[in-house]
């Protein structure tokens, strides 16, 4: 009898293996992250005001929910190795801040790094993974972004698996955001490890440029994302980085193109601006429900670049109800006029028999059908987002 119990117990122990918490990100996570706008200049007042704003400015009801505190919240470790939040910037402590965020009906995200130090040289989690995950669980953390600076001779996959296992052991479900900038092809191994993975180096606040020291503009990221669509889907998303919408450099047209394409890619939508004081234009760009519905479509399809004529590109995305989203973008400076017999073109490509209503998603207006010619001017550095709705 005793032997039987021992055998049964060992079988149970073997079958409870570590894994990621599943189904936490059936659609791409939406929220806000402190890095793009505030860098290291963060504190609990800003975070609380951001949480308040997310509720009052309509972002929460549009679907945004995670408030992620990026690098620089941590200042050291105590004699037992526990991570310490900067007491000057976060005097109430992280648990209290998490409670505040939760009291607004939002979710609490935090940042650490798989190496010995974070990118801003704060303590990393290397060697402290299980202890840190326990601490985050005690603080009520719902989302961990895990970076890749100062990783020494570590390799990506096992390092990210260690933190995944630590989160699982700590027992609190957390969305796990892998941030190793695409260096170890996380799209090939990330599905069972995390819920999203950065595909590229950091986004910088520009439309079409590359920084020598690292950092890519919106168009450069779009080009890199183009070949990775097959790897992305519900609960395991490609992450082309946070939004630069509302950060004062991109034109409204460029911002429209940026968020249109992030929605076409089924990308996580993490606002990166100061949402406490946004222009009406920025608020509209971030909270258009029809655009967000394309991003959050349950199929989780990532757009395909369907046609390219010079600066004009047409991307398409299949939607769960048999309809389609199209993004027509102009990467050049000059306006381009389109005069297309869409029905014939679409039929040729997809063998679709239905006639579709064409809806301009940004304007939230039906603008014709695929029976008619589609005539439109696409201004330079801008995009039109269309939905083809079954008649
Ligand atoms: C890396 C990440 C960024 C941000 C910074 C913080 O560069 O890719 O998204 O988290 O570190 O230091």
């Amino acid at each position: 009898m005793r032997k039987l119990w021992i055998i049964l117990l060992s079988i149970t122990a073997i079958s409870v293996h570590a894994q990621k918490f599943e189904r936490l990100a059936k659609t791409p996570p939406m929220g806000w992250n402190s890095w793009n706008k505030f860098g290291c200049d963060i504190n609990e007042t800003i975070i609380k005001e951001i949480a308040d704003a997310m509720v009052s400015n309509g972002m929460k009801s549009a679907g945004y929910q995670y408030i992620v505190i990026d690098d620089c919240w941590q200042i050291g470790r105590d004699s037992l190795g526990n991570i310490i939040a900067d007491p000057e910037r976060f005097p109430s402590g992280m648990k209290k801040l998490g409670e505040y965020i939760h009291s607004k009906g939002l979710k609490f995200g935090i940042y650490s790094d798989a190496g010995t130090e974070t990118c801003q040289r704060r303590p990393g989690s290397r060697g402290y993974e299980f202890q840190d995950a326990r601490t985050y669980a005690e603080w009520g953390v719902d989302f961990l972004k895990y970076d890749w600076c100062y990783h020494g001779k570590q390799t990506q996959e096992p390092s990210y698996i260690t933190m995944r296992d630590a989160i699982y052991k700590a027992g609190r479900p957390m969305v796990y955001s892998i941030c190793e900038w695409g260096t170890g092809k996380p799209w090939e191994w990330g599905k069972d490890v995390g819920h999203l993975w950065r595909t590229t180096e950091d986004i910088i606040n520009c439309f079409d440029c590359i920084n020598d020291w690292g950092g890519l503009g919106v168009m450069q990221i779009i080009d890199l994302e183009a070949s990775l669509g097959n790897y992305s889907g519900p609960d395991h998303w490609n992450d082309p980085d946070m939004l630069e919408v509302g950060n004062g450099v991109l034109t409204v047209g460029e911002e429209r193109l940026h968020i249109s394409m992030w929605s076409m890619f089924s990308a996580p939508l993490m606002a990166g601006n100061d949402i406490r004081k946004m222009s009406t234009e920025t608020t509209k760009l971030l909270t258009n429900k029809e655009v967000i519905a394309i991003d959050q479509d349950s199929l989780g399809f990532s757009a395909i670049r369907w046609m390219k004529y010079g600066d004009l590109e047409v991307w398409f995305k299949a939607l769960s109800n048999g309809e389609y989203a199209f993004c027509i973008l102009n990467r050049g400076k000059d306006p381009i006029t389109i005069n297309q017999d869409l029905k014939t073109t679409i039929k040729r490509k997809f063998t679709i028999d239905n006639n579709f209503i064409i809806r301009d998603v940004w304007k939230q207006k039906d603008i014709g059908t695929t029976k008619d010619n589609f005539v439109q001017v696409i201004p330079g550095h801008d995009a039109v987002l269309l939905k083809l709705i079954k008649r």
Side-chain angles (χ1 to χ4, degrees):
M1 191 60 185
R2 204 166 149 247
K3 260 192 182 164
L4 185 66
W5 272 113
I6 292 171
I7 293 167
L8 281 175
L9 281 174
S10 337
I11 292 171
T12 325
I14 291 164
S15 60
V16 184
H17 65 280
Q19 58 181 76
K20 78 175 189 184
F21 279 103
E22 286 175 348
R23 290 180 291 280
L24 297 183
K26 285 197 278 184
T27 61
M30 291 174 65
W32 174 89
N33 175 300
S34 55
W35 184 252
N36 281 359
K37 172 70 187 174
F38 295 96
C40 277
D41 202 8
I42 42 168
N43 58 54
E44 69 180 36
T45 309
I46 295 178
I47 301 300
K48 283 178 169 176
E49 288 174 2
I50 291 283
D52 295 345
M54 190 172 274
V55 176
S56 62
N57 66 17
M59 286 178 74
K60 182 184 172 204
S61 54
Y64 294 82
Q65 56 172 344
Y66 293 97
I67 303 274
V68 183
I69 307 174
D70 208 282
D71 208 347
C72 301
W73 61 267
Q74 55 293 70
I75 202 158
R77 292 190 181 274
D78 68 13
S79 57
L80 298 174
N82 297 311
I83 191 77
I84 308 171
D86 183 338
E88 275 177 24
R89 289 178 175 268
F90 296 92
S92 313
M94 287 303 184
K95 193 171 164 60
K96 279 264 162 350
L97 188 51
E99 283 166 7
Y100 187 84
I101 292 170
H102 289 149
S103 76
K104 301 277 153 184
L106 300 169
K107 293 192 169 167
F108 176 28
I110 213 164
Y111 161 102
S112 189
D113 188 289
T116 50
E117 290 177 291
T118 71
C119 297
Q120 305 304 314
R121 311 218 70 155
R122 305 302 174 99
S125 290
R126 176 69 177 149
Y128 295 90
E129 292 89 348
F130 285 78
Q131 190 171 1
D132 284 354
R134 266 199 314 274
T135 305
Y136 305 152
E138 278 161 24
W139 289 348
V141 167
D142 307 296
F143 183 112
L144 174 67
K145 171 175 169 182
Y146 205 49
D147 215 339
W148 189 234
C149 281
Y150 301 101
H151 54 76
K153 294 203 168 88
Q154 294 168 236
T155 50
Q156 290 88 336
E157 187 178 355
S159 303
Y160 280 87
I161 286 177
T162 303
M163 187 46 109
R164 175 203 68 182
D165 295 353
I167 295 171
Y168 195 73
K169 181 102 192 297
R172 182 177 171 88
M174 290 176 213
V175 169
Y176 184 31
S177 161
I178 297 169
C179 177
E180 50 80 280
W181 324 306
T183 52
K185 300 194 176 158
W187 43 88
E188 288 179 354
W189 49 263
K191 190 174 175 188
D192 295 328
V193 181
H195 303 90
L196 59 159
W197 50 79
R198 280 273 301 279
T199 47
T200 69
E201 47 189 91
D202 290 7
I203 192 166
I204 44 175
N205 196 3
C206 85
F207 180 67
D208 193 356
C209 61
I210 300 180
N211 246 342
D212 293 347
W213 49 262
L216 300 173
V218 171
M219 285 316 302
Q220 281 66 30
I221 291 185
I222 290 174
D223 288 340
L224 286 171
E225 203 71 3
S227 60
L228 299 176
N230 283 345
Y231 296 98
S232 192
D235 224 26
H236 58 280
W237 305 102
N238 286 332
D239 174 8
D241 209 356
M242 297 152 319
L243 298 169
E244 288 286 10
V245 172
N247 275 337
V249 172
L250 303 176
T251 64
V252 173
E254 291 168 345
E255 292 186 337
R256 187 168 22 249
L257 187 155
H258 176 20
I259 194 161
S260 297
M261 282 307 296
W262 262 234
S263 299
M264 292 292 287
F265 286 136
S266 298
L269 295 180
M270 301 301 273
N273 59 316
D274 189 348
I275 62 171
R276 296 170 304 175
K277 33 182 184 210
M278 295 195 283
S279 66
T280 318
E281 203 54 64
T282 301
T283 311
K284 277 193 195 155
L285 286 170
L286 288 176
T287 58
N288 184 307
K289 292 202 171 144
E290 293 193 21
V291 177
I292 288 172
I294 290 177
D295 179 74
Q296 296 286 302
D297 184 76
S298 61
L299 196 59
F301 195 92
S302 182
I304 291 175
R305 182 156 36 201
W306 183 37
M307 296 184 210
K308 181 166 170 56
Y309 306 104
D311 284 334
L312 187 80
E313 296 182 3
V314 183
W315 294 72
F316 101 93
K317 170 175 184 173
L319 300 171
S320 53
N321 60 358
E323 298 178 339
Y324 297 91
F326 276 80
C327 183
I328 307 179
L329 65 86
N330 178 357
R331 57 195 302 157
K333 288 203 171 101
D334 301 325
I336 300 178
T337 304
I338 303 181
N339 191 344
Q340 273 268 3
D341 174 0
L342 266 189
K343 187 182 175 205
T344 318
T345 325
I346 289 169
K347 247 187 156 171
R348 204 169 48 226
K349 192 79 184 177
F350 294 125
T351 43
I352 298 170
D353 286 327
N354 305 45
N355 291 322
F356 288 88
I357 294 167
I358 305 176
R359 185 165 176 82
D360 184 320
V361 176
W362 282 112
K363 294 194 176 129
Q364 303 198 339
K365 220 167 96 187
D366 295 346
I367 55 169
T369 74
T370 47
K371 274 187 169 168
D372 321 311
N373 269 13
F374 176 74
V375 184
Q376 188 139 357
V377 178
I378 318 286
H381 290 192
D382 207 334
V384 170
L385 190 57
L386 304 173
K387 196 168 157 189
L388 266 48
I389 302 171
K390 282 184 193 159
R391 268 143 68 93

